[in-house]
Amino acid sequence: MSKQILILPGDGIGPEIMAEAVKVLSVANEKYALNFELVEDVIGGAAIDKHGVPLADETLARARKADAVLLGAVGGPKWDKIERDIRPERGLLKIRSQLGLFGNLRPAILYPQLAEASTLKPEVVSGLDILIVRELTGGIYFGQPRGTETLENGERKAFDTLPYSESEIRRIAKVGFDMARLRGKKLCSVDKANVLASSQLWREIVEEVAKDYPDVALSHMYVDNAAMQLVRAPKQFDVIVTDNMFGDILSDQASMLTGSIGMLPSASLDIDGKGMYEPCHGSAPDIAGQGIANPLATILSVSMMLRYSFSQTAAADAIEQAVSQVLDQGLRTGDIYSEGCNKVGTQAMGDAVVAALRNL
Ligand code: NAD
C-alpha cells in the first residue's frame, strides 16, 4: 500500500525550496521504490488568502491522514498586521499541537566543506555534530492565560504563561535520553532553574528519568550559560534537551555555527514517531521570489523524514551523500558562499542534488 505525504509549501521562499525538495523526494521515491503518494495543500499566509484561516480544517484532516508531512515555511509582511489569533504562525503552532508533535529534533551538523562559511573560527566548529531536542507543544508559546489588559491608570500590560506538567517534561526528556543513547551518550538539559518554577520542575523530572538511562551522562546548564557555551566551545555538546522557547532561540544560534540557517533540517515527532519535517528557517521574505534561497535544509528534512518516519536508511543516507557531493563540487547558494566557490540559485542547487542522487 502506498504511503501518503502531505506537502505544505507555505509562504515566502517556502514554495521555491519545496519545489526542489519534491524533486529530490520524487527521485528517491523512484530509485528506492518507496511507493509514496504526494498530496499538496496550503498553510500560513497562503491558507489565509484561500480560506481566511492559517490552517483549514480540511488541511488538518489531510495531515492527520497522511503518514508524514513536509512543510516549507510560513509568514510574511503581507499578513503581519492581521489579528494575532489568525496570523500565519498560528497555523504552524496549531498543526504541531493538533498532531501532538511534541518532540522537535534539530541537528546542527557542520559539513566540513562549509567550515569557512561559519562566522566562528574553523577550529571551534570543525567536526561539529550537535542535536537539539526541543519541546514543541508546551511552555510559553501555548500557556494560558495570555493577553493584554489595561490597568486602572490607563497603562497597558501584556502577559504570557510558562506552564509545564510532569508528563510533558518526562516524555521530552525520554526523547533526549533515547537520542543521546543512539549518539555520544551525553545529554545536557538546559533550563533556568535558578529563576523559573517551571524549570525547577523540569530539572527534577529530568533527574528522575535519568535513573532509567545509567549509560547516558547527564548534565544541567542554565540557558544563559548555554547560549554562551554554544559559541565558546560548541563541541562540548552532544544532545541538548530543552523547553520550547529556549530551544527555539538556541537552535537558531546553533544554526549559525554551521554556516547558515539554510542548512538546518528538523523533525517534529509524535509519541508514535509520526512526524512533520521542515527546515529550521522561516519564510525569508527579504529574498523570496528571487530564486536565491538555499533549498538544502528542506532537502535534508526529506532525508530526516525517510529516516525517522519510514526507516528508509539507505535512501536517507543517499540524499545526505548527494548533498555532500554537491558541496564537494563547490556549489553554494549565497548564504553559504565563500570566495572561490560557484554561486548558484535555488533551482540549480536542487538540480545538482537530483543529479548526484541519480548517479549514486
Ligand atoms: P527567517 O529564517 O525567515 O530569515 C532570517 C534570515 O535568514 C533572513 O536574512 C533570510 O534571508 C535568511 N534565510 C532564511 N532561510 C534561508 C534560506 N533557505 N536560504 C538563504 N537565506 C535564508 O526569519 P525571520 O526573518 O525572523 O522571519 C521571516 C518570517 O518567517 C516571519 O514571518 C516569521 O514569523 C516567519 N518564520 C517562520 C518559521 C517557520 O515557518 N517555521 C520560522 C521562523 C520564522
Side-chain angles (χ1 to χ4, degrees), residues 11 13 17 71-77 79-80 87-89 92 96 106 134 248 252 256 260-263 266 278-288 292-298 333-336 346:
D11 311 314
I13 60 169
I17 52 176
L71 184 131
V74 301
W79 306 280
D80 271 355
R87 288 252 188 102
E89 293 76 6
L92 193 55
R96 285 172 180 167
R106 297 188 162 206
R134 166 188 172 196
D248 190 4
D252 264 28
M256 273 322 291
S260 167
I261 197 163
M263 292 298 298
S266 79
E278 53 181 312
C280 285
H281 59 73
S283 58
D286 53 334
I287 58 166
I292 59 171
N294 186 347
L296 293 180
T298 317
T333 42
D335 56 310
I336 50 173
T346 312

Side-chain angles (χ1 to χ4, degrees), residues 289-341:
Q290 297 177 33
I292 59 171
N294 186 347
L296 293 180
T298 317
I299 290 171
L300 291 167
S301 300
V302 171
S303 154
M304 285 188 93
M305 177 176 83
L306 296 179
R307 196 178 299 286
Y308 291 109
S309 279
F310 301 109
S311 303
Q312 292 288 346
T313 312
D317 287 348
I319 292 176
E320 284 164 23
Q321 210 181 323
V323 167
S324 187
Q325 279 188 11
V326 164
L327 295 175
D328 280 339
Q329 292 159 17
L331 267 59
R332 303 282 189 273
T333 42
D335 56 310
I336 50 173
Y337 178 77
S338 57
E339 227 179 275
C341 293

